[in-house]
Every structure is written in structure tokens, then in C-alpha cells.
Amino acid sequence: MEREKKLVYHERQRLQFCLLHSLNNLFQEKDAFTKATLNAIAEKLDLQDPNQTSWTPLSVVFKSHHNVLTGNYDINVLIAAVEEKGKRVIWHDQRCGASSIDLNGLDDKLFGIVLNVPVRRYAGLWKGRHWIALRRVDKVWHNLDSDFSAPYPFKNIEEITEFLDGVISTGGQILLVMNGEV
């Protein structure tokens, strides 16, 4: 009897909650994280920040690590969230290129990849950044970009390496999510 193929979980983009969607896509679970849990992590980081700025009327919405209404969480929230799940984040040294990443993962150290890429929206009027998760499910790497209507399965290691090199060349960041705590 052939083993049943696992369905790939994929959340779609809503507002600026791409980090929330990326984390749920990375962990392949609908509520691995919620808006409330990420907001709580961001608030905790605000309280721990030794360089905390003074209160202004705008600071009710625009916090140090996120926007209360739309999301738009920063790297500190990503790292704290991943560490809560017993994983760790390693910033990939872009000088090495994507070929230095062990995508075959025979030792299962690499859990997944999170990308932070520059984006232009609204006919190029708005520039920002977007979080994207890549994860291997049933030995196939998938691009789980929440802007996509469905997960995109990479055909082979060469295709994902070429994609990651493209991310580097356009100013994107590659964050490796590793199994095992810090």
C-alpha cells in the first residue's frame, strides 16, 4: 500500500500579517501562532527594550516591533516566536550564496527557511518588505508565500538554489530555521 501524501498547509495574505501567515505556513499548522500571540511577544519585547522611546499619540498603534492594527511584525518577533517552538534562527551569510545551504538535510537540522524580501505594491507607490516561508514536506521543498493562491512545489534542489540566489541579489534576507534550541 502506497503511503498517503501529506497535504501542504498554506495561509493567504491578509493586511500586513505576512509574518503570522509565514510562521503558520512554516510550522504547517493553522494556529501555530495567532495575532494575539504575536502581539503578546511584541509587547513583551517592547517592555524589555532598554532603548524604549517615550510615549506619543502614534505609539498607541505604531509599536517598536509591530503595528497594532495591521501587523507588520519585525525580525525580533520572528526570532522570539520561533524560539518559543524550540527552534533557532540563523542569518544566512549572503556572501556564501544559496549553494552553501544544506537543502537535502539528511541530518534534519534545517527545519525551514524564512525570507524577508523587498516588495513594491500599489503601482510601485508603496515600498516595504514581505515575509515568506519555505518548507520541505514529504521530501519536496515548497514556497509558501502568503501572496500565492497555493503552495508552489520546487522541482529540485537546483530550482530552489536559483530562487534563493535571486532573493539575495534583490536585497532579500535568508533566515534558516534550525531544529534544536539556541
Side-chain angles (χ1 to χ4, degrees):
M1 179 187 277
E2 189 175 315
R3 197 179 89 180
E4 187 175 315
K5 269 209 162 305
K6 181 179 177 184
L7 291 176
V8 178
Y9 179 77
H10 180 252
E11 280 185 11
R12 296 287 319 275
Q13 182 73 21
R14 187 174 54 84
L15 297 174
Q16 291 180 315
F17 289 105
C18 55
L19 181 61
L20 171 63
H21 305 309
S22 293
L23 287 167
N24 288 341
N25 290 340
L26 179 70
F27 285 94
Q28 289 291 285
E29 187 179 326
K30 181 178 191 249
D31 289 322
F33 294 94
T34 64
K35 178 181 171 188
T37 57
L38 291 186
N39 285 347
I41 290 169
E43 294 292 333
K44 182 178 175 184
L45 290 168
D46 280 339
L47 292 174
Q48 296 171 344
D49 188 353
N51 301 318
Q52 189 174 15
T53 57
S54 59
W55 184 90
T56 68
L58 289 177
S59 64
V60 171
V61 173
F62 300 104
K63 304 285 187 176
S64 301
H65 302 286
H66 76 300
N67 177 309
V68 174
L69 300 176
T70 64
N72 202 20
Y73 301 96
D74 74 3
I75 182 67
N76 299 296
V77 176
L78 166 73
I79 292 170
V82 166
E83 287 178 355
E84 276 189 8
K85 295 285 189 181
K87 310 292 182 203
R88 60 190 168 97
V89 174
I90 297 175
W91 222 294
H92 176 66
D93 185 347
Q94 297 181 341
R95 297 170 296 180
C96 299
S99 62
S100 66
I101 302 170
D102 181 14
L103 295 168
N104 290 318
L106 301 176
D107 56 9
D108 283 336
K109 286 183 184 174
L110 181 61
F111 178 75
I113 299 172
V114 177
L115 309 173
N116 188 252
V117 298
V119 292
R120 288 179 167 247
R121 299 189 195 270
Y122 311 112
L125 297 175
W126 183 80
K127 291 191 314 187
R129 299 199 62 91
H130 180 62
W131 295 105
I132 300 169
L134 306 180
R135 176 78 191 270
R136 188 170 51 188
V137 178
D138 283 338
K139 299 181 182 179
V140 175
W141 279 97
H142 292 82
N143 183 336
L144 302 168
D145 188 339
S146 58
D147 279 341
F148 291 177
S149 59
Y152 172 80
F154 289 100
K155 294 175 188 79
N156 53 41
I157 296 297
E158 291 76 28
E159 184 183 15
I160 189 172
T161 300
E162 186 177 308
F163 172 75
L164 292 172
D165 281 334
V167 167
I168 292 169
S169 71
T170 59
Q173 301 292 317
I174 299 174
L175 302 152
L176 307 176
V177 179
M178 309 300 285
N179 284 312
E181 295 186 33
V182 176

